[in-house]
Amino acid sequence: AQSVTQLGSHVSVSEGALVLLRCNYSSSVPPYLFWYVQYPNQGLQLLLKYTSAATLVKGINGFEAEFKKSETSFHLTKPSAHMSDAAEYFCAVSESTDKLIFGTGTRLQVFP
Amino acid sequence: KAGVTQTPRYLIKTRGQQVTLSCSPISGHRSVSWYQQTPGQGLQFLFEYFSETQRNKGNFPGRFSGRQFSNSRSEMNVSTLELGDSALYLCASSIGTAGVGTQYFGPGTRLTVL
């Protein structure tokens, strides 16, 4: 069965610093991988998704993620954090037509 | 194109009551999935409906049920509410089945059980 592990429930960075949110997955078949962001009192918004095309996936708001099969990882990065990036980020995995399995989330804080 | 809408946005109920939540997917989307989000358990999959048929179900008791109508709108029902049912209930729609098609989420219904 597939699963997702997000290392670090809280990550704090300074404005302008690199953002790195970690996600490792477990899947018996080539997975679909997703990153979603949730702002307070809102639903989830898709940042980006990997579907076996390019291993480096670019998303919205300057975020990108790299699929590394050998490390079973799909870490989310952004070169320069902005105050508006403060939110909770969820990594998710699915196998073929199966349901989405979410990680426990990482809350990103951005300090001025 | 309008996004996923959920009604009501906030709901307060007491233990033992039942509740029905509604979700209208993006036009043209045939799949609707429901998730429960709590601080302790995170995001947990409830069920998915595709073309009026439940195609997947999470690990929740039978008090949680749902259905989908011919226009793809979906309702979720929780009977005999318990305090632990207090959560944000999120609905997501996609063109194809969940897991393949990108899921678009609604703003959620915040349910408080007193």
Side-chain angles (χ1 to χ4, degrees):
Chain A
Q2 67 267 40
S3 66
V4 175
T5 301
Q6 290 185 244
L7 293 174
S9 57
H10 290 83
V11 170
S12 298
V13 300
S14 298
E15 192 172 22
L18 171 72
V19 175
L20 171 60
L21 304 182
R22 298 178 186 275
C23 172
N24 287 87
Y25 69 92
S26 170
S27 176
S28 57
V29 299
Y32 294 95
L33 293 161
F34 306 80
W35 275 100
Y36 282 87
V37 60
Q38 186 177 34
Y39 298 100
N41 299 315
Q42 294 188 27
L44 276 70
Q45 180 182 8
L46 180 71
L47 277 176
L48 49 82
K49 69 175 181 179
Y50 167 77
T51 56
S52 77
T55 56
L56 182 63
V57 183
K58 294 187 183 299
I60 62 171
N61 302 339
F63 285 94
E64 63 182 36
E66 186 172 8
F67 173 69
K68 291 187 176 180
K69 184 178 179 180
S70 61
E71 298 176 10
T72 60
S73 69
F74 191 57
H75 302 330
L76 182 71
T77 61
K78 182 174 180 177
S80 176
H82 192 272
M83 296 294 290
S84 61
D85 294 328
E88 188 149 22
Y89 293 79
F90 293 91
C91 181
V93 65
S94 72
E95 293 178 348
S96 184
T97 59
D98 204 352
K99 58 187 178 293
L100 275 183
I101 301 297
F102 284 90
T104 51
T106 297
R107 186 167 297 280
L108 175 66
Q109 286 185 302
V110 182
F111 294 100
Chain B
K1 190 182 269 190
V4 178
T5 58
Q6 293 186 245
T7 57
R9 289 293 311 277
Y10 301 91
L11 208 48
I12 299 176
K13 293 286 187 179
T14 56
R15 279 181 299 174
Q17 286 187 306
Q18 77 165 19
V19 68
T20 299
L21 312 182
S22 181
C23 172
S24 292
I26 293 172
S27 177
H29 286 196
R30 297 167 63 191
S31 168
V32 173
S33 297
W34 289 89
Y35 297 85
Q36 182 196 65
Q37 185 178 24
T38 60
Q41 300 296 319
L43 275 158
Q44 293 188 288
F45 172 78
L46 280 156
F47 28 65
E48 181 203 356
Y49 287 87
F50 183 80
S51 294
E52 302 180 65
T53 301
Q54 186 182 89
R55 58 178 302 275
N56 225 331
K57 190 178 191 304
N59 189 26
F60 278 82
R63 299 185 298 108
F64 291 82
S65 63
R67 59 178 174 169
Q68 187 180 33
F69 302 95
S70 58
N71 62 358
S72 293
R73 189 177 71 84
S74 177
E75 287 183 345
M76 190 192 93
N77 185 275
V78 188
S79 63
T80 321
L81 284 166
E82 300 177 0
L83 295 178
D85 296 333
S86 294
L88 180 67
Y89 290 88
L90 292 165
C91 158
S93 75
S94 58
I95 292 177
T97 54
V100 176
T102 299
Q103 290 196 28
Y104 295 88
F105 283 78
T109 294
R110 171 81 57 189
L111 172 65
T112 302
V113 182
L114 302 175

Short mmCIF file of all heavy atoms in Angstrom, two decimals, chain A residues 32 34 36 38 41-46 49 51 88 90 94-104, chain B residues 9-10 35 37 43 45 48 55-57 88 90 97-108 110:
data_model
loop_
_atom_site.label_atom_id
_atom_site.label_comp_id
_atom_site.label_asym_id
_atom_site.label_seq_id
_atom_site.Cartn_x
_atom_site.Cartn_y
_atom_site.Cartn_z
N TYR A 32 1.76 8.53 -8.85
CA TYR A 32 1.49 9.93 -9.13
C TYR A 32 1.76 10.67 -7.82
O TYR A 32 1.35 10.22 -6.76
CB TYR A 32 0.04 10.15 -9.56
CG TYR A 32 -0.30 9.50 -10.87
CD1 TYR A 32 -0.87 8.24 -10.93
CD2 TYR A 32 -0.08 10.17 -12.07
CE1 TYR A 32 -1.19 7.64 -12.13
CE2 TYR A 32 -0.40 9.58 -13.29
CZ TYR A 32 -0.95 8.32 -13.31
OH TYR A 32 -1.26 7.73 -14.52
N PHE A 34 1.86 14.52 -5.71
CA PHE A 34 1.25 15.86 -5.71
C PHE A 34 1.76 16.65 -4.50
O PHE A 34 2.07 16.09 -3.46
CB PHE A 34 -0.28 15.76 -5.59
CG PHE A 34 -0.93 14.89 -6.62
CD1 PHE A 34 -0.94 13.51 -6.49
CD2 PHE A 34 -1.56 15.46 -7.72
CE1 PHE A 34 -1.56 12.70 -7.44
CE2 PHE A 34 -2.18 14.67 -8.68
CZ PHE A 34 -2.18 13.28 -8.54
N TYR A 36 0.14 19.97 -2.41
CA TYR A 36 -0.97 20.90 -2.25
C TYR A 36 -0.60 21.90 -1.16
O TYR A 36 0.16 21.59 -0.24
CB TYR A 36 -2.24 20.17 -1.82
CG TYR A 36 -2.97 19.44 -2.92
CD1 TYR A 36 -2.64 18.13 -3.26
CD2 TYR A 36 -4.02 20.06 -3.61
CE1 TYR A 36 -3.33 17.46 -4.26
CE2 TYR A 36 -4.71 19.39 -4.61
CZ TYR A 36 -4.36 18.09 -4.93
OH TYR A 36 -5.04 17.43 -5.92
N GLN A 38 -2.40 24.70 1.67
CA GLN A 38 -3.65 25.10 2.33
C GLN A 38 -3.41 26.36 3.15
O GLN A 38 -2.61 26.36 4.08
CB GLN A 38 -4.17 23.97 3.23
CG GLN A 38 -5.53 24.26 3.84
CD GLN A 38 -6.06 23.11 4.66
OE1 GLN A 38 -5.31 22.38 5.31
NE2 GLN A 38 -7.38 22.90 4.65
N ASN A 41 -8.27 28.52 6.85
CA ASN A 41 -9.71 28.53 6.58
C ASN A 41 -10.03 28.37 5.09
O ASN A 41 -11.06 28.88 4.63
CB ASN A 41 -10.35 29.81 7.12
CG ASN A 41 -10.19 29.92 8.61
OD1 ASN A 41 -10.41 28.97 9.35
ND2 ASN A 41 -9.78 31.09 9.08
N GLN A 42 -9.18 27.69 4.39
CA GLN A 42 -9.43 27.44 2.97
C GLN A 42 -9.23 25.97 2.65
O GLN A 42 -8.70 25.21 3.46
CB GLN A 42 -8.51 28.30 2.11
CG GLN A 42 -8.76 29.79 2.20
CD GLN A 42 -7.96 30.57 1.19
OE1 GLN A 42 -7.61 30.06 0.13
NE2 GLN A 42 -7.66 31.81 1.50
N GLY A 43 -9.66 25.59 1.47
CA GLY A 43 -9.41 24.23 1.00
C GLY A 43 -7.99 24.09 0.49
O GLY A 43 -7.15 24.97 0.69
N LEU A 44 -7.71 22.99 -0.17
CA LEU A 44 -6.38 22.72 -0.69
C LEU A 44 -6.26 23.20 -2.13
O LEU A 44 -7.18 23.04 -2.93
CB LEU A 44 -6.08 21.22 -0.64
CG LEU A 44 -5.57 20.68 0.69
CD1 LEU A 44 -6.66 20.71 1.74
CD2 LEU A 44 -5.04 19.27 0.52
N GLN A 45 -5.11 23.75 -2.44
CA GLN A 45 -4.84 24.21 -3.80
C GLN A 45 -3.65 23.44 -4.35
O GLN A 45 -2.62 23.30 -3.68
CB GLN A 45 -4.53 25.71 -3.79
CG GLN A 45 -4.22 26.30 -5.16
CD GLN A 45 -3.87 27.78 -5.09
OE1 GLN A 45 -3.70 28.34 -4.01
NE2 GLN A 45 -3.75 28.40 -6.23
N LEU A 46 -3.78 22.93 -5.56
CA LEU A 46 -2.70 22.16 -6.16
C LEU A 46 -1.54 23.08 -6.52
O LEU A 46 -1.71 24.08 -7.21
CB LEU A 46 -3.20 21.45 -7.42
CG LEU A 46 -2.15 20.62 -8.15
CD1 LEU A 46 -1.80 19.37 -7.33
CD2 LEU A 46 -2.65 20.21 -9.53
N LYS A 49 2.19 18.59 -9.77
CA LYS A 49 2.02 17.14 -9.74
C LYS A 49 3.02 16.47 -10.67
O LYS A 49 3.45 17.04 -11.68
CB LYS A 49 0.61 16.74 -10.13
CG LYS A 49 0.24 16.98 -11.58
CD LYS A 49 -1.15 16.42 -11.87
CE LYS A 49 -1.54 16.62 -13.32
NZ LYS A 49 -2.90 16.04 -13.60
N THR A 51 3.64 13.07 -12.95
CA THR A 51 2.91 11.95 -13.55
C THR A 51 3.80 11.18 -14.51
O THR A 51 3.33 10.69 -15.53
CB THR A 51 1.66 12.44 -14.29
OG1 THR A 51 2.06 13.41 -15.26
CG2 THR A 51 0.66 13.05 -13.34
N GLU A 88 0.18 25.77 5.12
CA GLU A 88 0.47 24.36 5.36
C GLU A 88 0.55 23.64 4.02
O GLU A 88 -0.27 23.88 3.12
CB GLU A 88 -0.60 23.71 6.25
CG GLU A 88 -0.23 22.31 6.68
CD GLU A 88 -0.80 21.94 8.04
OE1 GLU A 88 -1.78 22.57 8.45
OE2 GLU A 88 -0.25 21.00 8.67
N PHE A 90 0.98 20.00 1.87
CA PHE A 90 0.71 18.57 1.94
C PHE A 90 1.26 17.87 0.70
O PHE A 90 1.00 18.30 -0.43
CB PHE A 90 -0.79 18.29 2.02
CG PHE A 90 -1.43 18.75 3.29
CD1 PHE A 90 -1.98 20.02 3.39
CD2 PHE A 90 -1.49 17.91 4.40
CE1 PHE A 90 -2.57 20.45 4.58
CE2 PHE A 90 -2.08 18.33 5.58
CZ PHE A 90 -2.61 19.60 5.67
N SER A 94 -0.66 8.73 -5.16
CA SER A 94 -1.70 7.79 -5.57
C SER A 94 -1.08 6.79 -6.54
O SER A 94 -0.05 7.05 -7.16
CB SER A 94 -2.87 8.51 -6.24
OG SER A 94 -2.50 8.96 -7.52
N GLU A 95 -1.70 5.65 -6.61
CA GLU A 95 -1.24 4.61 -7.52
C GLU A 95 -2.31 4.41 -8.57
O GLU A 95 -3.40 3.94 -8.26
CB GLU A 95 -0.99 3.31 -6.76
CG GLU A 95 0.17 3.37 -5.80
CD GLU A 95 0.37 2.08 -5.02
OE1 GLU A 95 -0.52 1.21 -5.07
OE2 GLU A 95 1.41 1.94 -4.37
N SER A 96 -2.00 4.76 -9.79
CA SER A 96 -2.90 4.58 -10.91
C SER A 96 -4.24 5.24 -10.62
O SER A 96 -4.30 6.43 -10.38
CB SER A 96 -3.08 3.09 -11.19
OG SER A 96 -3.87 2.88 -12.34
N THR A 97 -5.31 4.49 -10.57
CA THR A 97 -6.62 5.08 -10.38
C THR A 97 -7.08 5.04 -8.94
O THR A 97 -8.26 5.22 -8.65
CB THR A 97 -7.65 4.36 -11.25
OG1 THR A 97 -7.66 2.98 -10.87
CG2 THR A 97 -7.31 4.47 -12.72
N ASP A 98 -6.16 4.81 -8.03
CA ASP A 98 -6.53 4.70 -6.63
C ASP A 98 -6.66 6.09 -6.00
O ASP A 98 -6.35 7.10 -6.60
CB ASP A 98 -5.48 3.88 -5.89
CG ASP A 98 -6.04 3.24 -4.63
OD1 ASP A 98 -7.19 3.56 -4.26
OD2 ASP A 98 -5.34 2.44 -4.00
N LYS A 99 -7.10 6.11 -4.78
CA LYS A 99 -7.34 7.35 -4.07
C LYS A 99 -6.03 8.05 -3.71
O LYS A 99 -4.95 7.48 -3.75
CB LYS A 99 -8.11 7.06 -2.78
CG LYS A 99 -7.39 6.08 -1.85
CD LYS A 99 -8.26 5.70 -0.70
CE LYS A 99 -7.57 4.68 0.20
NZ LYS A 99 -7.39 3.39 -0.47
N LEU A 100 -6.15 9.33 -3.33
CA LEU A 100 -5.00 10.09 -2.86
C LEU A 100 -4.74 9.77 -1.40
O LEU A 100 -5.65 9.74 -0.59
CB LEU A 100 -5.28 11.59 -2.99
CG LEU A 100 -5.02 12.30 -4.31
CD1 LEU A 100 -5.30 13.78 -4.15
CD2 LEU A 100 -3.61 12.09 -4.78
N ILE A 101 -3.48 9.57 -1.08
CA ILE A 101 -3.05 9.41 0.30
C ILE A 101 -2.19 10.62 0.64
O ILE A 101 -1.19 10.88 -0.04
CB ILE A 101 -2.24 8.12 0.51
CG1 ILE A 101 -3.07 6.91 0.10
CG2 ILE A 101 -1.78 8.01 1.97
CD1 ILE A 101 -4.31 6.68 0.94
N PHE A 102 -2.57 11.33 1.70
CA PHE A 102 -1.87 12.56 2.07
C PHE A 102 -0.88 12.31 3.20
O PHE A 102 -1.09 11.46 4.07
CB PHE A 102 -2.87 13.62 2.53
CG PHE A 102 -3.63 14.27 1.40
CD1 PHE A 102 -4.83 13.73 0.97
CD2 PHE A 102 -3.15 15.40 0.78
CE1 PHE A 102 -5.53 14.33 -0.07
CE2 PHE A 102 -3.84 16.01 -0.25
CZ PHE A 102 -5.04 15.46 -0.68
N GLY A 103 0.18 13.11 3.19
CA GLY A 103 1.07 13.17 4.33
C GLY A 103 0.44 14.00 5.43
O GLY A 103 -0.65 14.56 5.26
N THR A 104 1.14 14.10 6.55
CA THR A 104 0.59 14.78 7.72
C THR A 104 0.74 16.29 7.64
O THR A 104 0.24 17.00 8.50
CB THR A 104 1.28 14.28 8.99
OG1 THR A 104 2.69 14.36 8.81
CG2 THR A 104 0.87 12.84 9.28
N ARG B 9 -20.90 26.33 4.90
CA ARG B 9 -19.49 26.49 5.23
C ARG B 9 -19.23 26.17 6.70
O ARG B 9 -18.16 25.65 7.04
CB ARG B 9 -19.04 27.93 4.95
CG ARG B 9 -18.95 28.28 3.49
CD ARG B 9 -17.83 27.51 2.77
NE ARG B 9 -16.57 27.56 3.47
CZ ARG B 9 -15.70 28.55 3.38
NH1 ARG B 9 -15.97 29.59 2.63
NH2 ARG B 9 -14.56 28.50 4.05
N TYR B 10 -20.19 26.46 7.54
CA TYR B 10 -20.05 26.18 8.97
C TYR B 10 -21.33 25.55 9.49
O TYR B 10 -22.43 25.90 9.04
CB TYR B 10 -19.76 27.48 9.75
CG TYR B 10 -18.51 28.18 9.29
CD1 TYR B 10 -18.55 29.14 8.29
CD2 TYR B 10 -17.28 27.86 9.86
CE1 TYR B 10 -17.40 29.78 7.87
CE2 TYR B 10 -16.11 28.49 9.43
CZ TYR B 10 -16.18 29.44 8.44
OH TYR B 10 -15.03 30.07 8.01
N TYR B 35 -13.05 14.12 2.07
CA TYR B 35 -11.98 13.94 3.03
C TYR B 35 -12.37 14.58 4.36
O TYR B 35 -13.08 15.59 4.39
CB TYR B 35 -10.68 14.60 2.55
CG TYR B 35 -10.11 14.01 1.29
CD1 TYR B 35 -10.55 14.46 0.04
CD2 TYR B 35 -9.13 13.03 1.34
CE1 TYR B 35 -10.04 13.93 -1.12
CE2 TYR B 35 -8.61 12.50 0.17
CZ TYR B 35 -9.06 12.95 -1.05
OH TYR B 35 -8.54 12.42 -2.21
N GLN B 37 -10.64 16.31 7.69
CA GLN B 37 -9.38 16.87 8.16
C GLN B 37 -9.51 17.27 9.63
O GLN B 37 -10.37 18.08 10.00
CB GLN B 37 -8.96 18.09 7.33
CG GLN B 37 -7.58 18.62 7.71
CD GLN B 37 -7.13 19.79 6.86
OE1 GLN B 37 -7.94 20.51 6.28
NE2 GLN B 37 -5.82 19.96 6.72
N LEU B 43 -5.45 14.59 7.08
CA LEU B 43 -6.41 14.43 5.99
C LEU B 43 -6.67 12.95 5.75
O LEU B 43 -5.77 12.20 5.39
CB LEU B 43 -5.85 15.03 4.70
CG LEU B 43 -6.06 16.51 4.49
CD1 LEU B 43 -5.03 17.06 3.51
CD2 LEU B 43 -7.47 16.77 3.98
N PHE B 45 -9.13 10.06 3.80
CA PHE B 45 -10.06 9.81 2.71
C PHE B 45 -11.31 9.13 3.24
O PHE B 45 -11.25 8.15 3.97
CB PHE B 45 -9.36 8.93 1.68
CG PHE B 45 -10.25 8.42 0.58
CD1 PHE B 45 -10.61 9.24 -0.48
CD2 PHE B 45 -10.71 7.11 0.60
CE1 PHE B 45 -11.41 8.77 -1.50
CE2 PHE B 45 -11.51 6.63 -0.40
CZ PHE B 45 -11.86 7.45 -1.46
N GLU B 48 -15.09 8.06 -2.55
CA GLU B 48 -15.10 8.69 -3.85
C GLU B 48 -16.30 8.18 -4.64
O GLU B 48 -16.62 6.99 -4.61
CB GLU B 48 -13.83 8.37 -4.65
CG GLU B 48 -13.82 9.05 -6.02
CD GLU B 48 -12.91 8.37 -7.04
OE1 GLU B 48 -12.22 7.40 -6.68
OE2 GLU B 48 -12.92 8.82 -8.20
N ARG B 55 -16.81 4.23 -5.80
CA ARG B 55 -15.75 3.37 -6.32
C ARG B 55 -14.63 3.15 -5.31
O ARG B 55 -13.76 2.31 -5.54
CB ARG B 55 -15.18 3.89 -7.62
CG ARG B 55 -14.60 5.25 -7.60
CD ARG B 55 -14.02 5.59 -8.99
NE ARG B 55 -13.01 4.65 -9.42
CZ ARG B 55 -11.73 4.70 -9.11
NH1 ARG B 55 -11.29 5.66 -8.31
NH2 ARG B 55 -10.87 3.80 -9.57
N ASN B 56 -14.66 3.85 -4.22
CA ASN B 56 -13.62 3.68 -3.22
C ASN B 56 -14.12 4.19 -1.88
O ASN B 56 -14.89 5.16 -1.84
CB ASN B 56 -12.36 4.45 -3.62
CG ASN B 56 -11.09 3.63 -3.43
OD1 ASN B 56 -11.04 2.77 -2.57
ND2 ASN B 56 -10.09 3.91 -4.24
N LYS B 57 -13.69 3.54 -0.81
CA LYS B 57 -14.16 3.93 0.52
C LYS B 57 -13.00 3.85 1.49
O LYS B 57 -12.22 2.89 1.47
CB LYS B 57 -15.29 3.02 0.96
CG LYS B 57 -16.02 3.48 2.22
CD LYS B 57 -17.17 2.54 2.55
CE LYS B 57 -18.09 3.11 3.63
NZ LYS B 57 -17.39 3.46 4.87
N LEU B 88 -13.00 19.53 9.65
CA LEU B 88 -13.23 20.20 8.39
C LEU B 88 -13.44 19.12 7.34
O LEU B 88 -12.60 18.23 7.19
CB LEU B 88 -12.02 21.06 8.01
CG LEU B 88 -12.12 21.84 6.69
CD1 LEU B 88 -13.20 22.92 6.78
CD2 LEU B 88 -10.77 22.46 6.32
N LEU B 90 -13.74 18.20 3.54
CA LEU B 90 -13.36 18.73 2.24
C LEU B 90 -13.88 17.84 1.13
O LEU B 90 -13.84 16.62 1.22
CB LEU B 90 -11.83 18.83 2.14
CG LEU B 90 -11.17 19.86 3.04
CD1 LEU B 90 -9.68 19.61 3.13
CD2 LEU B 90 -11.42 21.26 2.53
N THR B 97 -11.22 9.69 -12.71
CA THR B 97 -11.23 9.13 -11.36
C THR B 97 -10.09 9.71 -10.53
O THR B 97 -9.06 10.13 -11.06
CB THR B 97 -11.10 7.60 -11.41
OG1 THR B 97 -9.94 7.27 -12.19
CG2 THR B 97 -12.32 6.98 -12.06
N ALA B 98 -10.30 9.71 -9.22
CA ALA B 98 -9.31 10.26 -8.30
C ALA B 98 -8.01 9.49 -8.42
O ALA B 98 -7.99 8.30 -8.65
CB ALA B 98 -9.84 10.15 -6.87
N GLY B 99 -6.91 10.19 -8.25
CA GLY B 99 -5.60 9.57 -8.33
C GLY B 99 -4.96 9.80 -9.69
O GLY B 99 -3.75 9.86 -9.81
N VAL B 100 -5.76 9.92 -10.70
CA VAL B 100 -5.23 10.19 -12.04
C VAL B 100 -5.49 11.64 -12.41
O VAL B 100 -4.58 12.39 -12.70
CB VAL B 100 -5.87 9.25 -13.09
CG1 VAL B 100 -5.38 9.61 -14.48
CG2 VAL B 100 -5.54 7.80 -12.76
N GLY B 101 -6.77 11.99 -12.38
CA GLY B 101 -7.13 13.37 -12.67
C GLY B 101 -6.75 14.28 -11.52
O GLY B 101 -6.79 13.87 -10.37
N THR B 102 -6.38 15.48 -11.80
CA THR B 102 -6.08 16.44 -10.75
C THR B 102 -7.33 16.73 -9.95
O THR B 102 -8.39 17.01 -10.52
CB THR B 102 -5.54 17.74 -11.36
OG1 THR B 102 -4.34 17.45 -12.06
CG2 THR B 102 -5.27 18.78 -10.28
N GLN B 103 -7.21 16.67 -8.63
CA GLN B 103 -8.35 16.96 -7.77
C GLN B 103 -8.35 18.42 -7.38
O GLN B 103 -7.33 18.97 -6.96
CB GLN B 103 -8.30 16.08 -6.52
CG GLN B 103 -8.58 14.63 -6.83
CD GLN B 103 -8.90 13.83 -5.59
OE1 GLN B 103 -9.42 14.34 -4.61
NE2 GLN B 103 -8.60 12.56 -5.63
N TYR B 104 -9.51 19.03 -7.51
CA TYR B 104 -9.69 20.43 -7.15
C TYR B 104 -10.58 20.46 -5.91
O TYR B 104 -11.66 19.87 -5.91
CB TYR B 104 -10.32 21.21 -8.30
CG TYR B 104 -9.43 21.29 -9.51
CD1 TYR B 104 -9.46 20.30 -10.49
CD2 TYR B 104 -8.54 22.34 -9.68
CE1 TYR B 104 -8.63 20.36 -11.60
CE2 TYR B 104 -7.71 22.41 -10.78
CZ TYR B 104 -7.75 21.41 -11.73
OH TYR B 104 -6.93 21.46 -12.83
N PHE B 105 -10.11 21.15 -4.89
CA PHE B 105 -10.79 21.13 -3.61
C PHE B 105 -11.70 22.33 -3.41
O PHE B 105 -11.41 23.44 -3.87
CB PHE B 105 -9.77 21.09 -2.47
CG PHE B 105 -9.15 19.75 -2.27
CD1 PHE B 105 -8.14 19.30 -3.11
CD2 PHE B 105 -9.59 18.91 -1.25
CE1 PHE B 105 -7.57 18.04 -2.93
CE2 PHE B 105 -9.03 17.66 -1.06
CZ PHE B 105 -8.03 17.22 -1.90
N GLY B 106 -12.78 22.09 -2.70
CA GLY B 106 -13.63 23.17 -2.24
C GLY B 106 -13.10 23.76 -0.95
O GLY B 106 -12.10 23.28 -0.41
N PRO B 107 -13.75 24.81 -0.42
CA PRO B 107 -13.27 25.48 0.79
C PRO B 107 -13.55 24.69 2.06
O PRO B 107 -12.99 24.99 3.11
CB PRO B 107 -14.04 26.79 0.79
CG PRO B 107 -15.30 26.46 0.06
CD PRO B 107 -14.93 25.46 -0.99
N GLY B 108 -14.40 23.68 1.96
CA GLY B 108 -14.68 22.85 3.13
C GLY B 108 -15.89 23.28 3.91
O GLY B 108 -16.36 24.43 3.81
N ARG B 110 -16.90 23.35 7.90
CA ARG B 110 -16.41 23.17 9.26
C ARG B 110 -17.56 22.71 10.14
O ARG B 110 -18.50 23.45 10.39
CB ARG B 110 -15.84 24.49 9.78
CG ARG B 110 -15.47 24.52 11.25
CD ARG B 110 -14.14 23.91 11.54
NE ARG B 110 -13.04 24.53 10.80
CZ ARG B 110 -11.81 24.03 10.78
NH1 ARG B 110 -11.55 22.93 11.45
NH2 ARG B 110 -10.86 24.63 10.11
#
